[in-house]
Amino acid sequence: MFHAIEMRGYRGLQQYKLQDLGRVNLLVGRNNSGKTSVLEAAYVLGSAGEPLALWRICDRRGERLISEVNRLPRRADVDISHLFTGHDLTTGRSFSVEGHNRTDHHIVSVSIDELPEVPDDDQPELLAPEESVPQRQLSLRIRSTALQRQQQLPLTRQGGLELRRAELAGA
């Protein structure tokens, strides 16, 4: 059980800290004041940043990407930009959730990075020089001190997290 939880850069909470938490806590506030975001952040912390937990949070709120083909929402891809303050998916954007109790301090941090570029020397260059600049693929980097691990998941071209990748990363 955590006695304090601190969030930075998560949804509409630039920085927010709850202290003196007990076994039962009551969150009260106006609509759209961040109560659900606090509960989600606690869920992220409790799941140790599992990608499937992030996917479920977005899916539950209906934050799905629209298919480029038929303009319908795709259930398998969620728009993770809503997890970050400002909804911005640029390299370096991040959020973190920290939990403190008497003996432990756990941190889950999530950031937007670029996947390392892998040169493909076997493929001939068929594009004109101005078109040959490769498009960088964004990724979601998840670090958890509780699990002492780091994961890096590629995002879709639209900046989404696919259900399949989230499930595989958690396995």
Side-chain angles (χ1 to χ4, degrees):
M1 182 173 88
F2 293 109
H3 297 286
I5 297 176
E6 187 170 357
M7 296 141 266
R8 289 186 188 92
Y10 184 74
R11 292 198 179 265
L13 306 170
Q14 189 62 36
Q15 185 166 352
Y16 189 77
K17 187 171 188 174
L18 290 170
Q19 298 183 65
D20 301 322
L21 297 172
R23 289 181 58 139
V24 177
N25 301 279
L26 179 64
L27 294 175
V28 179
R30 294 182 189 194
N31 288 344
N32 204 30
S33 63
K35 299 178 301 291
T36 301
S37 295
V38 168
L39 295 174
E40 289 173 352
Y43 177 57
V44 168
L45 187 62
S47 74
E50 285 297 325
L52 190 55
L54 299 174
W55 187 92
R56 285 179 176 148
I57 288 169
C58 294
D59 183 61
R60 188 183 130 304
R61 286 194 184 221
E63 296 166 342
R64 296 181 195 96
L65 290 171
I66 304 297
S67 168
E68 293 175 345
V69 177
N70 58 15
R71 298 286 183 226
L72 296 174
R74 293 182 58 189
R75 175 149 166 73
D77 298 356
V78 294
D79 183 358
I80 60 151
S81 69
H82 296 275
L83 298 176
F84 299 86
T85 301
H87 303 231
D88 187 14
L89 276 187
T90 55
T91 303
R93 289 297 260 178
S94 65
F95 73 82
S96 65
V97 184
E98 297 183 37
H100 308 267
N101 63 28
R102 289 186 180 93
T103 58
D104 291 322
H105 177 213
H106 294 294
I107 303 171
V108 172
S109 64
V110 179
S111 61
I112 302 297
D113 290 336
E114 290 181 356
L115 282 176
E117 198 175 326
V118 179
D120 190 1
D121 296 332
D122 295 336
Q123 293 293 328
E125 188 171 322
L126 301 174
L127 301 173
E130 64 274 0
E131 296 173 344
S132 64
V133 177
Q135 183 179 1
R136 296 271 198 191
Q137 184 175 4
L138 294 178
S139 67
L140 194 65
R141 183 179 303 268
I142 305 168
R143 296 176 187 93
S144 169
T145 59
L147 298 178
Q148 296 183 350
R149 79 170 180 199
Q150 174 176 288
Q151 294 178 291
Q152 189 169 8
L153 300 170
L155 298 177
T156 64
R157 279 185 285 146
Q158 290 181 290
L161 178 61
E162 293 177 332
L163 173 59
R164 179 178 52 87
R165 288 192 192 270
E167 289 173 329
L168 291 173

